[in-house]
Amino acid sequence: MSKVSAAAVRDVVVQIQEASKQKQRKFVETVELQVGLKNYDPQRDKRFSGTIKLPNIARPNMSVCILGDAFHCDQAKGAGMEFQSVEDLKKLNKNKKLIKKLAKKYDAFLASEALIKQIPRLLGPGLHKVGKFPTPVSHNDSLIDKANELRATIKFQLKKVLCLGVAVGHVGMTEDQLIANIMLSVNFLVSLLKKHWQNVKSLYLKSSMGKAYRLF
Amino acid sequence: MSTAIDIQTCTDILPSFQLVKGIDLGYKNDYVFDVTANSQYAITSASDNFVRLYDLGTLQLSYTIPAHDSKISKMKLKSDQFLFTASEDKTLKRWDLRTAGSTGPVQTFKYNKNLTAFDINCNDTMAIVGTEFSSSDFSADIAFYDTRNTNLLSKFTDSHGDDVTEVQCHPTTPGQFLSCSTDGMINNYEVTKFDEEEEMISAVNSGSSVNKAGYFGPNAEYIYCMTHIETFSLHTLEGDTICDYGDIRNIGLTQVNYAIDCNYDPISQRFYLITGSNTGTVDFFHVNIGQLQHCQQLQGGHTDVVRSLYWNHATQSILTGGEDGRLCAWQGQV
C-alpha cells in the first residue's frame, strides 16, 4: 500500500505550480522528485538504476532524430520529423568529428529495425559514448508515438550516495498529469527497493528554481 | 508481462533439490556476493572483501583469503586451478587454488579506475576488465591485458556511457566478448587489433540499465539480458530481439522479486532463468520462446536476498549465497 496518497501529491503539485507562476522563468521548469534512502548501503546492496516509462511526457523538448530505412524516412518526412537515411550515415564515412556532431545535435535517436544492426559498423561507438544509441522502431510502429515514448521515459541511478533525483515532469503539465507521473514513479521506485517503504527516508518535490516540498 | 508470456509449471524437468548444509560467514552483517566451486572447494566472495574456501565434501571452512582492499566486484572461476577476483581497489587478481591463495595472488592486473566487471577469454590469453564511469575523464573503460605477462594491451574508452556491469567472453572464440552497462547497452565485439571503431560487431539497446548479459545456446549463438528493473529478454548475436519477457516480477506463479542469474545447461541444452524473493526463496524457470516453465524451488536455506548461484549440472549440486551472509549447499537426486 502506498504511503503517499494522490491527495497529498496534489497539494504539493498545486503549491509548486503556484510558486512557479509567481516567479515566471524564461524556461519551462522541470519538476523533480527527490528520494532520500535509508537502510540501504550503496557498497553492498544491489544497484538501484534503470528507467521508468511515465504515463505523460516529462521532457517535451527532447529532440528525436530518426535513422531510417526508406519507409521510415518517408514517414518522418510526412510527420515533419528530423531524419537521416542509410546513405546520409554512410556519407559520414565514420568520421569521428561528424558523428560526434550528429550525436550532440539530438537528444535521442530512433532507428529502423533493419538499420539498427548496421549502426555499430556504420558509426562505430560514437553514439554509445554519449548514451544515445538508438531505440528500435518497426514498420508497424508510429514514429511520433515512439518518439513520445522516449520523451516520457526517464532515467534514474543511485551513485554511492543515499539520495536520488528523478525528473518526473514540468510545470506546464496539468495537475492530473503531474500527479499520475509522480504516483507511478514513487510506486515503481519503491517496488524495486528490497525493504520498499522501509528503505525510504524522505520524498521531496521541487521545480527547477523552486523550493523543495516534502511529500513523505 | 510483455505480450503474452505463457507461464507454466513443469515438475519433471529438474529433480527436487534438498538443502544439504547452510554455513554462516561470520559475526558481522556481511553479504555473500559470488559463489563458485572447483573440484576441491566451494568458494565465496563477501562484502568484507574476503574470499573463503570451504572443503567441498564437508563444507568446513578451509581458508580465508584477504583478497582486496575494497569491494570485490566480481569473482569467477576460470579452470579447476585458477580463481579471479576484480575489485574497486583497481586490481584484477589471479589466485592459484592449489596453494589456496596462501602466498597471495599469482598475478595482479592493475588499472587506474575501479573495476566493476571482468572475464578471461577461453584460452586464457587475455583478461578483459570493465570499469566504473569516471567523472575525471568522462569515460567508462574496457581494458585488455595479456594474461601471460599482465601487460595492458589496449583499452576502449568510447564504448559505454556509464559503469560497465558485466563482461563475458565467448566460450569458444578467443577474441569475442560482450560488455554491458548501466547505460543500457550490450555490446558484442570481436577483437583482433583492438580497433574500437571497427571491432564492435553488434549492439543491443535494452532501454534500461543492464545488470547482466551473457551468451547461451549450444554454440553460444544467443544473448540474454537482465536489467536492474528486473526485465528479461533474449537476443541474437546480430542484435535482433528473440523474446522480451518484460518485468519478471509479474510472473505471478510464485514470489519473484528479482532475477539472480541465467544458466545454460549444455548437457540437456536447456536454458534457465533463476529468480529470488526478498525472503530467500529461489525459483527456477525453464526458458522457452514466449514461455517460462517453473520447474523447481529452493526454500529453507536463506532468509534474505540470494545474490549468487553456482550449478554443477553433472552432479546436480547447487551452491547459493546471499545477503543473510549464508552459503547454502543443495543436492538434487540425479
Side-chain angles (χ1 to χ4, degrees):
Chain A
M1 169 125 70
S2 185
K3 296 264 173 101
V4 163
S5 69
V9 174
R10 186 179 299 273
D11 281 341
V12 171
V13 165
V14 165
Q15 287 181 75
I16 289 178
Q17 288 187 304
E18 212 15 77
S20 176
K21 279 198 196 92
Q22 298 262 325
K23 207 168 182 185
Q24 286 263 334
R25 304 288 172 175
K26 289 183 192 152
F27 66 100
V28 179
E29 293 180 79
T30 300
V31 174
E32 185 182 84
L33 173 71
Q34 293 177 335
V35 184
L37 296 182
K38 66 175 186 192
N39 301 327
Y40 175 90
D41 182 347
Q43 274 293 97
R44 296 188 314 171
D45 286 304
K46 294 197 293 177
R47 266 191 202 261
F48 193 52
S49 168
T51 52
I52 312 174
K53 179 146 182 322
L54 297 171
N56 302 295
I57 293 174
R59 296 184 292 169
N61 300 323
M62 183 189 222
S63 58
V64 180
C65 177
I66 320 298
L67 304 180
D69 55 13
F71 181 88
H72 280 137
C73 284
D74 280 341
Q75 208 181 86
K77 225 181 281 178
M81 299 174 87
E82 305 256 338
F83 65 94
Q84 296 274 298
S85 66
V86 182
E87 286 69 46
D88 293 328
L89 296 178
K90 282 191 178 148
K91 272 193 210 138
L92 297 177
N93 235 337
K94 259 185 156 166
N95 180 308
K96 270 180 114 165
K97 262 195 177 162
L98 291 177
I99 292 169
K100 198 170 176 182
K101 209 172 157 199
L102 176 70
K104 279 201 150 165
K105 192 172 176 194
Y106 302 99
D107 296 321
F109 295 87
L110 288 173
S112 308
E113 272 172 349
L115 194 77
I116 206 168
K117 288 187 283 196
Q118 301 175 51
I119 301 285
R121 293 216 196 264
L122 279 174
L123 302 178
L127 296 181
H128 280 79
K129 173 110 182 165
V130 291
K132 293 182 188 176
F133 192 83
T135 297
V137 58
S138 80
H139 287 181
N140 297 327
D141 295 319
S142 146
L143 286 180
I144 298 196
D145 287 349
K146 271 287 181 176
N148 284 336
E149 239 179 75
L150 290 182
R151 293 186 181 106
T153 303
I154 49 158
K155 289 188 186 181
F156 66 94
Q157 187 172 179
L158 195 73
K159 286 240 191 198
K160 310 211 178 211
V161 291
L162 288 180
C163 53
L164 178 77
V166 184
V168 290
H170 58 88
V171 294
M173 292 165 76
T174 69
E175 256 171 54
D176 286 337
Q177 287 174 332
L178 270 171
I179 293 167
N181 277 15
I182 294 162
M183 292 303 291
L184 191 125
S185 303
V186 167
N187 292 327
F188 184 72
L189 291 172
V190 168
S191 79
L192 288 169
L193 292 164
K194 177 165 80 166
K195 297 189 188 123
H196 305 308
W197 285 98
Q198 302 305 315
N199 277 132
V200 182
K201 182 173 172 190
S202 64
L203 288 174
Y204 285 86
L205 276 174
K206 72 185 290 291
S207 65
S208 319
M209 309 298 288
K211 71 168 202 163
Y213 294 83
R214 189 152 190 184
L215 248 188
F216 174 81
Chain B
M1 305 220 70
S2 226
T3 43
I5 299 294
D6 179 33
I7 312 290
Q8 276 186 20
T9 303
C10 192
T11 48
D12 23 291
I13 295 177
L14 288 177
S16 168
F17 289 93
Q18 302 304 318
L19 177 66
V20 167
K21 192 165 183 181
I23 309 142
D24 291 295
L25 268 181
Y27 313 109
K28 292 166 29 180
N29 298 332
D30 285 299
Y31 294 175
V32 172
F33 282 156
D34 286 325
V35 296
T36 187
N38 72 345
S39 55
Q40 250 190 309
Y41 304 110
I43 307 163
T44 63
S45 66
S47 58
D48 58 1
N49 307 335
F50 282 83
V51 166
R52 289 174 175 77
L53 307 183
Y54 299 83
D55 180 278
L56 200 57
T58 62
L59 295 168
Q60 296 287 354
L61 176 63
S62 303
Y63 297 97
T64 306
I65 306 172
H68 288 278
D69 298 326
S70 336
K71 178 176 169 183
I72 302 174
S73 337
K74 286 276 179 349
M75 176 179 77
K76 293 185 183 181
L77 185 82
K78 295 314 285 189
S79 66
D80 198 66
Q81 185 181 0
F82 295 117
L83 180 76
F84 289 83
T85 53
S87 165
E88 290 186 2
D89 68 8
K90 306 180 176 60
T91 66
L92 167 69
K93 293 179 180 176
R94 182 200 294 257
W95 307 89
D96 187 338
L97 294 172
R98 290 185 198 166
T99 55
S102 51
T103 47
V106 296
Q107 266 185 328
T108 302
F109 305 85
K110 295 187 184 161
Y111 199 63
N112 58 11
K113 289 184 189 181
N114 292 357
L115 303 184
T116 45
F118 80 95
D119 206 358
I120 312 297
N121 71 350
C122 56
N123 57 5
D124 198 353
T125 52
M126 182 165 67
I128 307 175
V129 302
T131 76
E132 226 173 54
F133 178 83
S134 162
S135 43
S136 56
D137 61 0
F138 294 103
S139 72
D141 306 343
I142 297 172
F144 305 87
Y145 293 88
D146 187 332
T147 54
R148 290 160 297 195
N149 51 38
T150 76
N151 291 342
L152 179 70
L153 291 167
S154 189
K155 59 181 180 174
F156 287 174
T157 57
D158 288 346
S159 297
H160 284 292
D162 210 331
D163 299 350
V164 177
T165 49
E166 184 62 270
V167 171
Q168 288 267 12
C169 288
H170 195 271
T172 53
T173 311
Q176 192 170 144
F177 73 97
L178 59 79
S179 62
C180 60
S181 158
T182 53
D183 70 5
M185 297 303 302
I186 303 170
N187 300 336
N188 183 33
Y189 308 79
E190 179 140 16
V191 293
T192 43
K193 295 171 294 175
F194 301 108
D195 183 343
E196 191 169 10
E197 293 295 314
E198 302 291 331
E199 290 176 336
M200 191 189 301
I201 306 169
S202 59
V204 171
N205 186 350
S206 73
S208 196
S209 170
V210 184
N211 180 7
K212 261 191 165 135
Y215 299 103
F216 75 98
N219 300 304
E221 67 270 49
Y222 307 114
I223 294 174
Y224 66 83
C225 169
M226 290 162 37
T227 65
H228 289 113
I229 56 171
E230 306 306 343
T231 62
F232 172 57
S233 56
L234 305 179
H235 308 268
T236 62
L237 284 186
E238 292 79 42
D240 294 303
T241 299
I242 299 171
C243 189
D244 181 354
Y245 299 82
D247 189 334
I248 56 157
R249 298 175 296 164
N250 295 332
I251 283 175
L253 205 71
T254 147
Q255 191 188 345
V256 173
N257 294 125
Y258 53 91
I260 298 172
D261 207 349
C262 286
N263 195 291
Y264 179 69
D265 176 4
I267 305 168
S268 64
Q269 293 200 346
R270 287 198 168 113
F271 184 57
Y272 299 90
L273 169 68
I274 306 166
T275 67
S277 76
N278 289 334
T279 49
T281 313
V282 175
D283 285 290
F284 292 78
F285 293 88
H286 173 223
V287 180
N288 286 318
I289 297 178
Q291 183 186 71
L292 292 172
Q293 294 178 307
H294 182 254
C295 40
Q296 230 8 280
Q297 186 175 79
L298 304 178
Q299 22 167 336
H302 291 283
T303 52
D304 205 336
V305 168
V306 172
R307 293 288 282 268
S308 178
L309 183 142
Y310 166 80
W311 190 354
N312 183 325
H313 293 281
T315 59
Q316 287 295 32
S317 31
I318 286 176
L319 293 170
T320 51
E323 294 182 6
D324 52 6
R326 303 195 89 207
L327 166 69
C328 289
W330 312 78
Q331 183 58 51
Q333 278 65 59
V334 179

